Amino acid sequence: MIERVRVAVVGVGNNTSALLQGLALYRQSGSLVGIRRPVIDGLGVGDIDIVAAFATSEEKIGRDLTEAIFLAPNNFPRLDCDLPTSGVPVTKGLVDATEVRRVAAVLAGAEVLLYSAPSGRPETAQAYAEAAHTAGVAFINTTSDPVARDPRRMARFEAAGLPLLGDDLASQFGTSVLHKALLRLLEERGLTLVSSYQVNLGGTEDFRNLVENPDTKKQSKLNALSTADKAAADTVAVAPLGYLPHLASQKIAHLNVEAQGWGGTAVSLDVKLTVHDPSGAAGVNIDLIRIAASALRNGRGGHSAEATSLLKSPPGTAI
């Protein structure tokens, strides 16, 4: 019987709620609905245990993880599953880089550290990566803050045999994935792109944070939209994110594509996408965790090519 992956998470927000509830749901139901890869290197969707969790919210610190994921401002809905007490108390998160060793000590026994805190805090993300390196743990950066795009850090993880996956997960079926697919389709069919844009609206705390700290996220979205036609790069725009609390965990995206076909005739496409943003993250995190664990167990440090398509800004993309 394969050993379950022992995972520590940073951030006890909506994405962690979606992941934790989903793990319970799939174990109990045996369903494969919404699963991209049921098995990765022998690891099934249910072969994951959360063994540690870090947060900075005073309301969540000290609470059992299964209780903390339902505390405000979290607003991801409850899934139809029994969620037993985890036995994992939420630990006070890293405050500054001087606490790397304290965090590393808590990571004892974990194999993978999933960094799922809000984007826009690069020093914090990098400090957690250092804690993972100190503890001998694989690190996954799901945020747009540059961690895996630092060649020196990547070289250190590779030399230590520790996987470093990042940066910024590409949601299972999100705006950037859909937008890029449409732009590729234009190229494949020989149409000329005139202009294209995307608008994203959401009601989670991550959206609120990104409205206040948008810089790294905007670049990461542009990285995700890169196409073979480099000349078209200036015609693709990403509008500032909009925070609307009443949307809760739902994200609403609007896409517009203007192009020219044979003889310069006009082609116009408008798309509206509505998804639960945390579900889109969990549907990718479940794969990133198993890829990282498999690489760690097989002594493959650094970046895993298998993870590239799951990320908006993998190593080598712009910061």
Side-chain angles (χ1 to χ4, degrees), residues 6 8 54 100-113 127-139 156-157 160 162 296:
R6 302 180 302 279
F54 299 89
V100 165
R101 291 199 175 276
R102 175 180 69 82
V103 170
V106 179
L107 293 176
E111 294 178 279
V112 176
L113 178 57
Y128 272 108
E130 287 306 305
H133 186 274
T134 300
V137 171
F139 189 75
R156 290 176 59 230
F157 269 76
L162 299 174
L296 180 72

Side-chain angles (χ1 to χ4, degrees), residues 93-143:
L94 185 149
V95 176
D96 57 49
T98 65
E99 296 195 307
V100 165
R101 291 199 175 276
R102 175 180 69 82
V103 170
V106 179
L107 293 176
E111 294 178 279
V112 176
L113 178 57
L114 177 70
Y115 184 76
S116 191
S119 294
R121 304 170 185 173
E123 295 85 2
T124 302
Q126 292 157 14
Y128 272 108
E130 287 306 305
H133 186 274
T134 300
V137 171
F139 189 75
I140 301 171
N141 177 32
T142 72
T143 76

Side-chain angles (χ1 to χ4, degrees), residues 17-38:
S17 177
L19 178 63
L20 192 64
Q21 292 190 71
L23 290 173
L25 175 67
Y26 286 112
R27 283 175 186 159
Q28 293 164 23
S29 67
S31 170
L32 294 178
V33 172
I35 299 297
R36 175 175 174 263
R37 297 179 64 182

Side-chain angles (χ1 to χ4, degrees), residues 78-260:
R78 288 180 181 261
L79 300 182
D80 187 18
C81 63
D82 294 325
L83 196 62
T85 301
S86 70
V88 176
V90 177
T91 300
K92 182 179 180 180
L94 185 149
V95 176
D96 57 49
T98 65
E99 296 195 307
V100 165
R101 291 199 175 276
R102 175 180 69 82
V103 170
V106 179
L107 293 176
E111 294 178 279
V112 176
L113 178 57
L114 177 70
Y115 184 76
S116 191
S119 294
R121 304 170 185 173
E123 295 85 2
T124 302
Q126 292 157 14
Y128 272 108
E130 287 306 305
H133 186 274
T134 300
V137 171
F139 189 75
I140 301 171
N141 177 32
T142 72
T143 76
S144 57
D145 297 322
V147 176
R149 281 170 286 173
D150 181 337
R152 289 176 296 180
R153 179 176 293 108
M154 181 62 74
R156 290 176 59 230
F157 269 76
E158 187 172 359
L162 299 174
L164 174 58
L165 307 186
D167 299 313
D168 203 3
L169 64 81
S171 184
Q172 189 174 23
F173 195 77
T175 320
S176 297
V177 169
L178 179 57
H179 198 169
K180 186 171 185 175
L182 292 174
L183 296 179
R184 281 180 170 171
L185 184 60
L186 290 182
E187 290 183 15
E188 291 172 3
R189 306 306 296 175
L191 277 73
T192 299
L193 178 66
V194 174
S195 65
S196 181
Y197 67 80
Q198 62 170 266
V199 178
N200 294 277
L201 308 171
T204 65
E205 279 297 285
D206 196 42
F207 257 87
R208 183 185 66 79
N209 174 71
L210 288 170
V211 168
E212 299 170 359
N213 302 283
D215 293 344
T216 60
K217 191 67 175 181
K218 182 175 181 180
Q219 181 59 59
S220 190
K221 281 185 171 291
L222 291 172
N223 289 344
L225 294 175
S226 63
T227 68
D229 186 1
K230 301 303 180 184
D234 293 338
T235 65
V236 179
V238 177
L241 298 172
Y243 173 59
L244 301 176
H246 71 274
L247 292 179
S249 69
Q250 283 192 315
K251 176 172 73 176
I252 297 177
H254 298 274
L255 299 171
N256 170 265
V257 177
E258 303 292 334
Q260 291 180 325

Side-chain angles (χ1 to χ4, degrees), residues 4 38 99 170 289:
R4 285 184 175 180
E99 296 195 307
I289 289 169

